[in-house]
Amino acid sequence: MTKLIAALGAVFILAGVAFAADPAPLTEAKIKNFIASMESVKALGHELEASGKTDTLEIDSMPKTGEDFRPYSKSVAALKEKHPADHQRLAALVKSHGFSVDSWADTGDRVMIAYIAEKAEEHPESLAHAHAMDPAMLSMVPPEMRAQMEGVMAMMETVKKAPAADRAALRPHMAALDAELEATVAASR
């Protein structure tokens, strides 16, 4: 599970990137277009990382206690605030895949939440361990690790609420998303 979280963290940072109520279902087309967009967004992410811009974006995209896990939406908002020219570049990249930058981020959030929920179900022991963690234990965690632990707990709370329809829509695309995420992790080494 630690490897999965690290891989997803790399994607969120490298992508430069509400779990919002979206009345429209997560469709096969949205999922395919999102996965197809990841390669070009990854290239922008590498540029942002090389210029040192991802450091502040990582901090801003971490959920706080009580917040929903919205990695793409929060990263896009931070990118817009701190690096507007790069936000415009991202908007141009995702437009070619049929998204506005906000719809891309929302779709990414929903895809990743469904993905994590599906992966967690493959490893129920990890999920049970995460759910069994007492939030009061955070007071015993060293301060430098507390924010990370709070972020993981916030992520798990959001994942528990992953809509069944989103998960069902994503299942046929898990292998394609796995391959894209593995390529992202390999490229970051």
Side-chain angles (χ1 to χ4, degrees):
M1 189 67 165
T2 303
K3 205 173 201 181
L4 172 63
I5 292 169
L8 292 174
V11 168
F12 303 144
I13 293 166
L14 293 176
V17 192
F19 186 45
D22 183 352
L26 190 55
T27 65
E28 181 175 8
K30 281 184 179 181
I31 293 167
K32 284 182 173 182
N33 289 347
F34 177 78
I35 293 170
S37 75
M38 292 176 79
E39 186 64 33
S40 56
V41 172
K42 182 174 34 179
L44 174 60
H46 287 303
E47 289 179 38
L48 294 173
E49 185 175 34
S51 66
K53 293 178 181 177
T54 57
D55 296 340
T56 57
L57 297 177
E58 177 182 6
I59 292 166
D60 291 340
S61 66
M62 288 295 293
K64 311 289 185 279
T65 301
E67 290 181 350
D68 280 336
F69 178 61
R70 302 173 9 197
Y72 287 91
S73 293
K74 289 186 80 172
S75 293
V76 164
L79 185 66
K80 183 176 185 177
E81 178 185 331
K82 295 185 177 173
H83 308 290
D86 294 316
H87 179 270
Q88 289 302 315
R89 291 174 60 205
L90 175 63
L93 289 173
V94 300
K95 184 177 182 180
S96 66
H97 294 281
F99 293 108
S100 70
V101 73
D102 291 333
S103 68
W104 177 82
D106 181 61
T107 299
D109 291 342
R110 292 174 65 191
V111 164
M112 285 302 147
I113 290 163
Y115 178 83
I116 295 168
E118 289 296 305
K119 286 297 187 179
E121 201 166 272
E122 290 176 11
H123 304 282
E125 68 285 352
S126 296
L127 189 59
H129 180 70
H131 290 301
M133 184 181 273
D134 182 359
M137 290 179 63
L138 282 176
S139 64
M140 296 187 290
V141 173
E144 61 274 7
M145 292 179 60
R146 194 168 296 143
Q148 182 179 6
M149 292 299 296
E150 287 173 348
V152 169
M153 291 177 80
M155 177 181 73
M156 293 311 297
E157 285 302 311
T158 303
V159 168
K160 284 195 296 190
K161 300 182 286 186
D166 285 1
R167 291 177 65 179
L170 181 64
R171 279 184 200 115
H173 307 283
M174 289 291 288
L177 188 53
D178 278 335
E180 190 58 46
L181 293 173
E182 287 171 14
T184 299
V185 171
S188 68
R189 290 183 190 148

